[in-house]
Amino acid sequence: MNLLYTEVEDELRASVADLLGDRASPASVLAQIDNGADTALWRDLARIGATSLHVPEHLGGQGASYRETAVVAEELGRSVAPVPFLGSAILATAILTHLADDPAARELLTRLAQGETTAALVVPLSSWGPTAGGYKARSVADAAAAEVLLVPVEGTVHLVEARHAVVTPVTSLDQTRPIADVDISGAPTTPLTGPGDEAVHAALVAGAGILASEQVGVARWCLDATVAHIKARYQFGRPVGSFQALKHRVADLWQSIVLATAAARHAADALATGVDVDIAVSVAQSLCSAVAVRAAEECVQLHGGIGMTWEHPAHLYLKRAKADEIALGTPGRHRATLAPLVDLPLQSTP
Amino acid sequence: MNLLYTEVEDELRASVADLLGDRASPASVLAQIDNGADTALWRDLARIGATSLHVPEHLGGQGASYRETAVVAEELGRSVAPVPFLGSAILATAILTHLADDPAARELLTRLAQGETTAALVVPLSSWGPTAGGYKARSVADAAAAEVLLVPVEGTVHLVEARHAVVTPVTSLDQTRPIADVDISGAPTTPLTGPGDEAVHAALVAGAGILASEQVGVARWCLDATVAHIKARYQFGRPVGSFQALKHRVADLWQSIVLATAAARHAADALATGVDVDIAVSVAQSLCSAVAVRAAEECVQLHGGIGMTWEHPAHLYLKRAKADEIALGTPGRHRATLAPLVDLPLQSTP
Amino acid sequence: MSGMRDRVAALLSAHDPATTGRLEFLRARFDAGLAWVHFPVGLGGLGAPRDAQQEVDLALAEAGAPDNSPRRIGIGLGMAAPTILAHGTEEQRLRFLRPLWTGEEVWCQLFSEPGAGSDLAALGTRARRDGDDWVVTGQKVWTSSAHNAQWAILLARTDPDVPKHAGITYFVCDMTAPGVEVRPLRQITGEAEFNEVFLTGVRVPDAHRIGEVGAGWRIAQTTLMNERVAIGGRPVPREGGMVGVVADTWRAHPERRTPELHDRLLSLWVESEALRLAGIRLRQQLAAGSPGPEGSAMKLGFARLSQALSALEVEFLAEDGLRYDDWTQRRPTAVDFTARDAGYRYLRAKGNSIEGGTSEVLRNIIAERVLGLPTEPRSDKDIPWKDLPR
Amino acid sequence: MSGMRDRVAALLSAHDPATTGRLEFLRARFDAGLAWVHFPVGLGGLGAPRDAQQEVDLALAEAGAPDNSPRRIGIGLGMAAPTILAHGTEEQRLRFLRPLWTGEEVWCQLFSEPGAGSDLAALGTRARRDGDDWVVTGQKVWTSSAHNAQWAILLARTDPDVPKHAGITYFVCDMTAPGVEVRPLRQITGEAEFNEVFLTGVRVPDAHRIGEVGAGWRIAQTTLMNERVAIGGRPVPREGGMVGVVADTWRAHPERRTPELHDRLLSLWVESEALRLAGIRLRQQLAAGSPGPEGSAMKLGFARLSQALSALEVEFLAEDGLRYDDWTQRRPTAVDFTARDAGYRYLRAKGNSIEGGTSEVLRNIIAERVLGLPTEPRSDKDIPWKDLPR
């Protein structure tokens, strides 16, 4: 188990951070908030390989692992860039990787990996655990920008061209992650061979595990922004960051981010190695969801009035953190998942 | 609904506080901790009428109500005096009041009210909700000092002379509230006529409601002691109470005690009037249990090292608060009780 | 008290609400001393006890009389009026109070600044004397109703060379005067309840100064005290407010319930009920003539609970919690937690621990004024405002 | 590293653990430089990297060699030894380190005082120079092992006329000297792990002074830094520590489980696992040569979790949680959370946020040293110790 960032990962982080710093600073994200997904940025992320790290090379990917992908997720969380990373590069890609014996899956996967198109998994973003799937789904992440939809119906994943489906964008609480309602009734579909339920499960687990790293990125931005603000903001003739109550609160926040970072790294490492995956992912989701929300809430509060304004980017992180808490299982649902895995049942099995 | 303290109640509080100040200061309680119940103090409390306020005058009591009794409970909480108030003056007395059609019950009630003897209800102090009762019970409050035991068995309350029972004192976490294991197997019993289950239920409800006021008293002592300490304790050339993080913590504590006081007053008022009793009691227990524990824990922590020593009385309040949290239903059990009462069920009833 | 009933009857018989115009009725009510009975005679009151008002309001409401839309003119009623009464000249009282109460003239408050929030006394908007006028320049923020207001109560710095509390003066500012620019201030909910107000060379006649030059800070305490009382003062029924909204959401969605959320909801329900009871207790204390400091506990609790409850609601709603009703920049005149969706409640509630005094400042006040804890070492009290670090 | 294996083999062949007396073996190990390999040659070490130690310990344990009971002599190993190495004279190192490491001489620490806890630099125990000796008078507290100790590291004030940090000197004090009185200090658990130590005219030779006169505060930082490292340094398996104890209690009592406690336990389980992972991460950083500041996060988390978990356990046990195992004033030499009942764990855990630096002080340190937040205004740094308010 390696919970550190490798040198390669640090370099990757630096190049992603450079790109995002140029193209998706919080201020520029805020300015373009009504434009939906930033497809130009997405293509550039694909060009530096950041969207297909965990896809094998023979399928057009970088042949690295979820460890590296998690580093990208952290940086994307830190910038709240509106790109279809979770929906396309994680969820859809994981499904296709799992069903890669099917030539249509393989073909699409290669196109996704090369950034030529994006896809979405048609389940509500809040999904966790066995998912019924079906012809309709509400609150589907990154569906509006997707050209291809992956629709699980009765154990089989179907591939549907988005132009044949009814994709209705809805107003998203998280303004930097568009959601849509999807209805594929009557659309021509290509069923993919292979175990669909398993593929969906694997995708949700991978998504939840990588989401934890995104949440760490969100939390870190919030901590950094808060610390910078309370150093610079003077009230009562002192920087407000010299007041002990505020110092203790940001210290506690830092402490919780130390824990969240370890948990998220463990989840990414587990996804990469296949060891201890289910426990690692649900531990990370339970913890990192709560830490990101708390960090964003403290960020708004400790910015005082300015944090309540539209012009300050703090709200983008609050909305992302709150939506991420729901995404791919709430903390409570992940704890319920953990209970039997760690032999802490509510009821004894007879 | 009157949530204030009346003038009469204020006077009652003053006289009880006077007596306890003389005879049961925290230091003197601590010094006598190994002696069990303070029977001399109990007799003096009875002499000023403080132990039978809610008992009708024709049964030897003061003919007041649970409102006044709750004020006494607050003061007893504030002093952690080791007297059998909860076990005898509340639980046993409530049972007997409910079964007062029975001459034996009436006769015992009168003796209790006049402070001639004490009794105990033989159920674990942790009981809440339907109680099986039976010939044996563990962790019974105030049983070791009781002359008479009230034992619910299969819907009937039995009166048993303590000398005929096996009463085994056990070491109590709360050193100021002795507990014992009781076994009445084979002892001669006098069954009391009347609805035993109802009587036990009424006693537990009254006990839980009054306990909330005791918890408020515990919490207030802890807040007062903490504030006094941090005003007087200098570190870094300043009173530690001038450090903002500590100020905010005691402010939050004060805020929670404001809420707890209102809830406890409401429970006492409801017990006195018979209106809204079940909701008022479970609201008060859920809240006041938690507030008392937090107050005691903060008290120990904010006293620093001295709060961890045996010689400082803070630990008596910590132990009382923690035991009270369990007594007559944990906060979680009271919330479970509330759920159907306030139409917030977990499962819908079909 | 029966005197009140007679006066109400007299007003109603002289001005039948069914046939009298709204404004005419309100003016008549003011002139009858039934506007705020605890105000002096001639200024809309009768010098009666404050709690006689309830009976008057009730009787008039029963008779179908129009009210003065108190929520729309809350700042005038709650903050400007008590201040003008306490510190204004007789001329100012006569000029301002009647149209304030009838709602003919809406008021707003120009106190907070971008650089002076919790530390209001650090404010930097300058007023310089020029003949019979003051010339005011600066920027104010978090001003509700500024776009509808005729008048503002204004704090401005008239002397930067003395310590910050000593150099502030209290004015009434005409919001229609040249140099007053109001810009909507958009919030994280998307709407713009508040405004930024830019003051550029605005001329305020000295006759619109309230109190002495340099006495503004002390006078502002009257205003702010009344703000806090107003916030803690509303009675609520069981499950009133946010808890009721969230409880109803729970009841409507059995399929989304989990044991974890159940216990959290019940905890918050319990705390909301206790806060409600504490509010009742506080009002009983006020009625008994012994007001306690519990108002600050109410405000802290209200902020905490509205945030925790709305957070739980969004989480509970899961796929619906991911949605938002509308990001349009609306211009609401009052906050209504029930008219919008869960996401709005969650975001708007974040302001509850900031507006009207942050929870951090409230905790300081409780610690120092209620619990008597020592203040922190301060360096900003004795040095001239212009030399403060910022 | 293979050099280590050869040295271990050489030690074992010269001193077969099966036939060599314990003390004799430990002395031989020290003299072979295998006690603490990162110490210098001649002082029990080889000047090797710190992480070579693990291999040595493992190889010796496998060979059945006795260890030096590190928990019994933790203060000597963790605090006195690094300080003597860093700041002592060669004579002092040679005199003290060997019997310290072998456990022949137990050490304790005379730092904290009733009036100087978090603010250790305010300590008032006086040391006055008298010929070749210092004469020490004062009271120390929270001294573990004082009743078994031969030696103490001692901080005393040698100059009250300079600011508090400047007037402290670091000594080694003979605990068997006349004037040293050790009294057990009973805790809320009933037991007395710690002691109060009263020093009355205790003579300490100047040769037992560590470092310069007045340099005590700086030197003490070495000691305290090593204390913090020691606390954060133990690796734990999943469900190691308090969480495992409480999880087992949960497993043992299906009849007491409720959904509410279930979710709380799982939350704490998750946090405990994350803390464990953070500890692993911290050790991986150390091993990679880039230690982070996460040690303070570990200590904060450990205190919080041990308290929350034990509190839950007592509540879960209900009628059994009302009981306590034993109030006897025991004299344990080390804390063992597993050897006693839930009530003991609950009470003892309260100390985890106080001992070795309170959680409040830790938060200050994190805020200032990790996050770079400004210090509070301080008045106590520049005035003579004797003039400090107290």
Side-chain angles (χ1 to χ4, degrees):
Chain A
M1 187 193 320
N2 176 9
L3 302 184
L4 305 180
Y5 299 105
T6 63
E7 256 178 65
V8 172
E9 287 162 358
D10 282 338
E11 283 163 24
L12 171 67
R13 178 198 304 284
S15 61
V16 172
D18 273 355
L19 179 61
L20 294 174
D22 287 348
R23 302 274 299 285
S25 69
S28 74
V29 170
L30 184 59
Q32 301 180 45
I33 201 81
D34 294 327
N35 302 352
D38 185 341
T39 48
L41 176 62
W42 184 246
R43 275 194 298 272
D44 287 339
L45 281 165
R47 196 167 301 141
I48 66 170
T51 65
S52 62
L53 287 155
H54 55 287
V55 178
E57 285 181 84
H58 70 274
L59 295 171
Q62 304 298 311
S65 79
Y66 278 117
R67 285 182 56 92
E68 293 79 10
T69 299
V71 171
V72 178
E74 261 185 52
E75 290 309 306
L76 288 172
R78 206 191 283 261
S79 103
V80 288
V83 290
F85 189 75
L86 183 62
S88 186
I90 307 297
L91 295 176
T93 297
I95 290 259
L96 296 169
T97 309
H98 211 85
L99 302 176
D101 286 346
D102 184 295
R106 220 159 44 234
E107 189 266 343
L108 176 57
L109 183 55
T110 305
R111 286 174 55 220
L112 288 185
Q114 295 178 345
E116 291 169 18
T117 186
T118 71
L121 169 60
V122 179
V123 297
L125 176 55
S126 48
S127 304
W128 180 247
T131 305
Y135 293 96
K136 297 183 185 186
R138 306 175 73 235
S139 304
V140 178
D142 298 327
E147 288 179 33
V148 185
L149 302 172
L150 300 173
V151 189
V153 182
E154 288 169 12
T156 300
V157 176
H158 297 257
L159 202 149
V160 178
E161 299 287 325
R163 64 197 162 89
H164 295 142
V166 181
V167 178
T168 313
V170 293
T171 307
S172 175
L173 173 66
D174 175 5
Q175 303 182 269
T176 60
R177 177 127 61 213
I179 55 175
D181 293 345
V182 176
D183 184 350
I184 61 150
S185 313
T189 79
T190 309
L192 301 177
T193 54
D197 285 343
E198 247 180 51
V200 172
H201 175 74
L204 295 180
V205 169
I210 295 303
L211 188 61
S213 283
E214 174 180 307
Q215 289 165 325
V216 166
V218 167
R220 286 217 193 122
W221 185 90
C222 291
L223 175 66
D224 292 348
T226 303
V227 168
H229 175 76
I230 66 177
K231 278 182 193 171
R233 169 87 175 166
Y234 275 68
Q235 295 277 275
F236 308 103
R238 295 160 53 176
V240 296
S242 71
F243 285 99
Q244 199 194 35
L246 270 55
K247 289 164 85 163
H248 281 202
R249 280 163 66 172
V250 294
D252 280 336
L253 193 54
W254 174 81
Q255 194 265 350
S256 69
I257 292 175
V258 168
L259 267 55
T261 302
R265 275 277 83 189
H266 181 49
D269 193 64
L271 285 170
T273 62
V275 176
D276 201 28
V277 177
D278 289 333
I279 290 178
V281 165
S282 282
V283 163
Q285 263 302 294
S286 169
L287 190 81
C288 298
S289 288
V291 169
V293 168
R294 185 153 75 86
E297 292 182 341
E298 284 289 72
C299 180
V300 168
Q301 177 68 20
L302 296 182
H303 274 75
I306 186 75
M308 281 298 293
T309 65
W310 189 271
E311 68 183 295
H312 192 284
H315 63 101
L316 300 180
Y317 293 83
L318 178 66
K319 294 162 186 174
R320 171 66 69 89
K322 191 66 188 171
D324 277 0
E325 183 188 49
I326 296 170
L328 304 173
T330 61
R333 290 207 185 269
H334 280 281
R335 290 194 290 274
T337 298
L338 272 177
L341 299 178
V342 302
D343 187 24
L344 289 173
L346 176 57
Q347 308 298 344
S348 292
T349 43
Chain B
M1 186 195 320
N2 175 8
L3 303 183
L4 304 180
Y5 299 104
T6 64
E7 258 178 63
V8 172
E9 287 163 359
D10 281 340
E11 283 163 24
L12 171 67
R13 179 197 303 283
S15 63
V16 172
D18 273 357
L19 179 62
L20 294 174
D22 286 349
R23 303 275 299 286
S25 69
S28 74
V29 169
L30 183 59
Q32 301 179 46
I33 201 82
D34 293 328
N35 301 351
D38 185 340
T39 48
L41 175 62
W42 183 245
R43 274 193 299 273
D44 289 338
L45 281 165
R47 198 168 300 141
I48 65 170
T51 65
S52 62
L53 287 156
H54 56 287
V55 178
E57 285 183 82
H58 71 273
L59 294 172
Q62 305 297 310
S65 79
Y66 277 117
R67 285 181 56 93
E68 293 78 10
T69 298
V71 171
V72 178
E74 261 184 50
E75 290 309 304
L76 289 171
R78 205 191 284 262
S79 104
V80 289
V83 290
F85 189 76
L86 183 62
S88 187
I90 309 296
L91 294 176
T93 297
I95 289 259
L96 295 169
T97 308
H98 211 84
L99 302 176
D101 287 345
D102 185 295
R106 218 157 47 233
E107 189 266 343
L108 176 57
L109 182 55
T110 306
R111 288 174 56 218
L112 289 186
Q114 296 179 344
E116 289 170 18
T117 187
T118 70
L121 170 59
V122 179
V123 297
L125 176 56
S126 49
S127 302
W128 179 246
T131 304
Y135 294 96
K136 297 182 185 184
R138 305 176 74 236
S139 303
V140 178
D142 298 327
E147 286 179 33
V148 185
L149 303 171
L150 300 173
V151 189
V153 183
E154 288 168 13
T156 301
V157 176
H158 296 257
L159 199 150
V160 179
E161 300 286 325
R163 64 198 162 88
H164 294 142
V166 181
V167 178
T168 312
V170 294
T171 307
S172 175
L173 173 66
D174 174 5
Q175 302 182 271
T176 60
R177 176 123 65 211
I179 54 174
D181 292 347
V182 176
D183 184 350
I184 61 149
S185 313
T189 80
T190 309
L192 300 176
T193 54
D197 284 345
E198 250 179 48
V200 172
H201 175 73
L204 295 180
V205 170
I210 296 301
L211 188 62
S213 284
E214 175 180 308
Q215 288 165 324
V216 167
V218 167
R220 286 217 194 123
W221 185 91
C222 291
L223 176 65
D224 293 348
T226 303
V227 168
H229 174 76
I230 66 177
K231 279 181 192 171
R233 169 86 175 167
Y234 276 69
Q235 294 278 276
F236 307 103
R238 296 162 51 177
V240 295
S242 71
F243 284 100
Q244 198 193 37
L246 270 54
K247 290 164 86 164
H248 281 200
R249 279 163 66 171
V250 293
D252 280 337
L253 194 53
W254 174 81
Q255 195 266 349
S256 70
I257 292 175
V258 168
L259 268 56
T261 302
R265 276 276 84 189
H266 181 51
D269 193 63
L271 286 170
T273 61
V275 176
D276 200 29
V277 176
D278 289 334
I279 290 177
V281 164
S282 282
V283 163
Q285 263 303 294
S286 169
L287 190 80
C288 299
S289 287
V291 170
V293 168
R294 186 154 73 88
E297 291 181 342
E298 284 290 71
C299 180
V300 167
Q301 177 67 21
L302 296 183
H303 273 77
I306 186 76
M308 281 298 293
T309 65
W310 188 270
E311 67 183 295
H312 192 283
H315 63 101
L316 300 180
Y317 293 83
L318 179 65
K319 294 163 185 173
R320 170 66 69 89
K322 191 67 188 170
D324 277 0
E325 181 189 51
I326 296 170
L328 304 172
T330 60
R333 288 207 186 269
H334 280 281
R335 290 195 290 274
T337 297
L338 273 178
L341 300 179
V342 302
D343 187 24
L344 290 173
L346 176 57
Q347 307 299 343
S348 294
T349 43
Chain C
M1 294 289 163
S2 73
M4 289 299 157
R5 242 168 278 159
D6 295 345
R7 284 171 194 274
V8 168
L11 172 67
L12 288 169
S13 77
H15 306 270
D16 180 355
T19 57
T20 313
R22 183 174 179 276
L23 192 56
E24 187 190 337
F25 184 89
L26 292 172
R27 286 176 179 162
R29 178 175 165 185
F30 186 92
D31 296 336
L34 295 171
W36 29 36
V37 296
H38 64 290
F39 269 49
V41 174
L43 295 171
L46 299 164
R50 203 181 192 119
D51 56 3
Q53 188 68 45
Q54 207 178 352
E55 190 191 349
V56 172
D57 292 351
L58 215 66
L60 287 170
E62 276 172 11
D67 71 12
N68 61 345
S69 307
R71 288 184 71 169
R72 194 178 72 98
I73 57 172
I75 291 168
L77 293 174
M79 306 178 75
T83 309
I84 292 169
L85 179 68
H87 301 284
T89 62
E90 191 59 19
E91 208 179 341
Q92 288 167 341
R93 292 175 187 159
L94 288 168
R95 164 65 189 86
F96 293 124
L97 291 178
R98 192 170 182 256
L100 180 159
W101 188 86
T102 61
E104 287 163 84
E105 293 175 353
V106 173
W107 287 67
C108 68
Q109 174 196 322
L110 298 176
F111 280 19
S112 295
E113 300 181 3
S118 293
D119 184 13
L120 180 59
L123 57 87
T125 292
R126 284 297 309 279
R128 285 188 179 78
R129 186 71 188 243
D130 183 29
D132 284 344
D133 289 346
W134 295 82
V135 180
V136 182
T137 296
Q139 183 189 348
K140 296 289 181 176
V141 77
W142 299 116
T143 313
S144 51
S145 300
H147 50 304
N148 305 319
Q150 166 73 34
W151 297 105
I153 45 179
L154 164 71
L155 291 181
R157 185 157 304 281
T158 44
D159 187 351
D161 297 319
V162 295
K164 62 181 181 181
H165 294 96
I168 298 171
T169 302
Y170 201 116
F171 297 97
V172 169
C173 175
D174 183 346
M175 291 296 287
T176 65
V180 177
E181 189 199 346
V182 176
R183 292 186 205 160
L185 178 60
R186 197 174 186 191
Q187 289 157 269
I188 65 177
T189 55
E191 43 175 50
E193 277 171 65
F194 301 98
N195 302 279
E196 297 180 289
V197 177
F198 295 82
L199 304 166
T200 313
V202 178
R203 298 194 81 86
V204 175
D206 189 54
H208 286 178
R209 171 168 50 77
I210 307 275
E212 296 302 308
V213 172
W217 181 251
R218 195 174 46 76
I219 296 169
Q221 299 316 302
T222 304
T223 312
L224 297 172
M225 201 161 32
N226 277 282
E227 181 182 26
R228 292 214 182 91
V229 167
I231 284 173
R234 277 172 297 165
V236 276
R238 180 171 282 169
E239 270 199 21
M242 191 71 92
V243 68
V245 178
V246 180
D248 285 341
T249 302
W250 178 268
R251 290 175 188 126
H253 293 284
E255 79 287 359
R256 287 184 169 147
R257 298 179 193 158
T258 67
E260 175 235 346
L261 294 171
H262 190 223
D263 188 68
R264 270 169 64 197
L265 175 61
L266 285 165
S267 284
L268 295 170
W269 194 97
V270 163
E271 219 181 306
S272 300
E273 171 67 1
L275 189 70
R276 186 182 78 87
L277 293 168
I280 293 172
R281 194 158 185 265
L282 179 60
R283 275 187 302 280
Q284 290 179 344
Q285 287 173 327
L286 280 170
S290 56
E294 285 85 352
S296 47
M298 300 297 300
K299 183 171 184 311
L300 268 186
F302 168 73
R304 198 192 98 69
L305 284 168
S306 70
Q307 292 171 359
L309 281 160
S310 58
L312 183 144
E313 190 187 13
V314 171
E315 192 180 338
F316 175 69
L317 285 172
E319 68 186 66
D320 286 318
L322 292 168
R323 304 156 88 101
Y324 195 72
D325 52 5
D326 185 10
W327 291 119
T328 307
Q329 183 175 323
R330 306 181 185 199
R331 291 287 266 163
T333 51
V335 181
D336 183 355
F337 275 130
T338 59
R340 301 274 308 262
D341 281 356
Y344 171 82
R345 285 188 278 280
Y346 173 71
L347 295 173
R348 182 59 186 81
K350 292 281 166 273
N352 295 153
S353 51
I354 296 173
E355 57 202 335
T358 66
S359 290
E360 289 72 28
V361 165
L362 271 175
R363 290 189 190 99
N364 283 346
I365 291 175
I366 292 168
E368 290 172 15
R369 299 196 202 157
V370 181
L371 302 175
L373 288 170
T375 56
E376 296 201 69
R378 283 184 72 164
S379 57
D380 62 325
K381 280 196 149 163
D382 304 319
I383 57 173
W385 174 83
K386 66 177 165 50
D387 299 329
L388 285 177
R390 52 176 66 89
Chain D
M1 292 287 164
S2 74
M4 288 299 158
R5 241 168 278 159
D6 294 347
R7 285 169 193 274
V8 169
L11 173 67
L12 287 169
S13 79
H15 305 271
D16 180 355
T19 57
T20 313
R22 180 173 181 279
L23 191 56
E24 189 189 337
F25 184 87
L26 291 172
R27 286 175 178 164
R29 178 175 166 185
F30 187 93
D31 297 337
L34 294 171
W36 31 36
V37 296
H38 63 292
F39 269 49
V41 174
L43 295 171
L46 298 164
R50 204 182 190 116
D51 57 3
Q53 188 67 45
Q54 209 178 350
E55 188 192 352
V56 172
D57 291 351
L58 214 68
L60 286 170
E62 275 171 12
D67 71 12
N68 61 346
S69 307
R71 288 184 71 169
R72 194 178 74 96
I73 57 171
I75 292 168
L77 293 174
M79 305 178 77
T83 309
I84 292 169
L85 178 67
H87 301 283
T89 62
E90 191 60 20
E91 207 177 345
Q92 289 166 342
R93 293 174 185 160
L94 288 168
R95 164 63 189 86
F96 292 124
L97 289 177
R98 190 172 185 254
L100 180 160
W101 188 87
T102 60
E104 287 163 85
E105 293 176 351
V106 174
W107 286 67
C108 67
Q109 174 195 324
L110 298 176
F111 279 20
S112 296
E113 300 182 4
S118 292
D119 183 14
L120 180 60
L123 58 88
T125 291
R126 285 296 309 278
R128 287 187 178 77
R129 186 70 189 243
D130 182 31
D132 284 345
D133 289 345
W134 295 82
V135 180
V136 182
T137 296
Q139 183 189 347
K140 296 288 181 176
V141 77
W142 299 115
T143 315
S144 51
S145 301
H147 52 302
N148 303 321
Q150 166 74 35
W151 297 104
I153 46 178
L154 164 72
L155 292 181
R157 185 157 305 280
T158 44
D159 187 351
D161 298 319
V162 295
K164 63 182 181 181
H165 295 97
I168 297 170
T169 302
Y170 201 115
F171 297 98
V172 169
C173 175
D174 183 346
M175 291 296 286
T176 65
V180 177
E181 188 200 346
V182 176
R183 293 185 206 160
L185 179 61
R186 198 176 185 191
Q187 290 158 268
I188 66 177
T189 54
E191 44 175 51
E193 278 172 62
F194 300 99
N195 302 278
E196 295 179 290
V197 177
F198 296 82
L199 305 165
T200 313
V202 177
R203 298 195 80 87
V204 175
D206 189 55
H208 286 179
R209 171 167 50 76
I210 307 277
E212 295 305 307
V213 173
W217 182 252
R218 197 174 46 76
I219 296 170
Q221 300 316 304
T222 304
T223 312
L224 296 173
M225 201 160 35
N226 277 281
E227 182 182 24
R228 292 214 182 89
V229 168
I231 284 173
R234 277 173 296 166
V236 277
R238 181 170 280 170
E239 268 198 23
M242 192 71 92
V243 68
V245 177
V246 180
D248 284 341
T249 302
W250 177 269
R251 291 174 188 128
H253 293 284
E255 78 289 359
R256 289 186 168 146
R257 298 178 194 159
T258 66
E260 176 234 347
L261 294 171
H262 190 222
D263 188 68
R264 271 171 61 198
L265 175 60
L266 285 165
S267 284
L268 295 171
W269 195 96
V270 163
E271 220 181 306
S272 300
E273 171 68 1
L275 188 71
R276 185 183 79 86
L277 293 168
I280 292 172
R281 194 157 185 268
L282 179 61
R283 274 187 301 280
Q284 290 180 344
Q285 286 174 326
L286 280 170
S290 57
E294 285 86 351
S296 47
M298 299 297 299
K299 183 172 183 312
L300 268 186
F302 168 73
R304 199 193 97 70
L305 284 169
S306 71
Q307 292 172 359
L309 282 161
S310 58
L312 184 144
E313 189 187 15
V314 171
E315 192 181 338
F316 175 68
L317 285 172
E319 67 185 66
D320 286 319
L322 292 167
R323 303 156 87 102
Y324 195 73
D325 53 4
D326 184 9
W327 291 119
T328 306
Q329 184 175 324
R330 306 181 184 198
R331 293 287 266 162
T333 50
V335 182
D336 183 354
F337 276 130
T338 59
R340 302 275 307 263
D341 281 358
Y344 171 84
R345 284 188 278 280
Y346 173 70
L347 295 174
R348 182 60 187 81
K350 293 280 167 275
N352 294 153
S353 50
I354 297 173
E355 58 202 335
T358 65
S359 291
E360 288 74 26
V361 165
L362 271 176
R363 290 190 190 99
N364 284 346
I365 291 174
I366 291 169
E368 291 172 15
R369 300 196 201 155
V370 181
L371 302 176
L373 288 170
T375 56
E376 296 201 68
R378 284 185 71 164
S379 58
D380 62 325
K381 280 198 150 163
D382 304 319
I383 58 173
W385 174 84
K386 66 178 164 53
D387 299 328
L388 284 177
R390 55 175 66 90

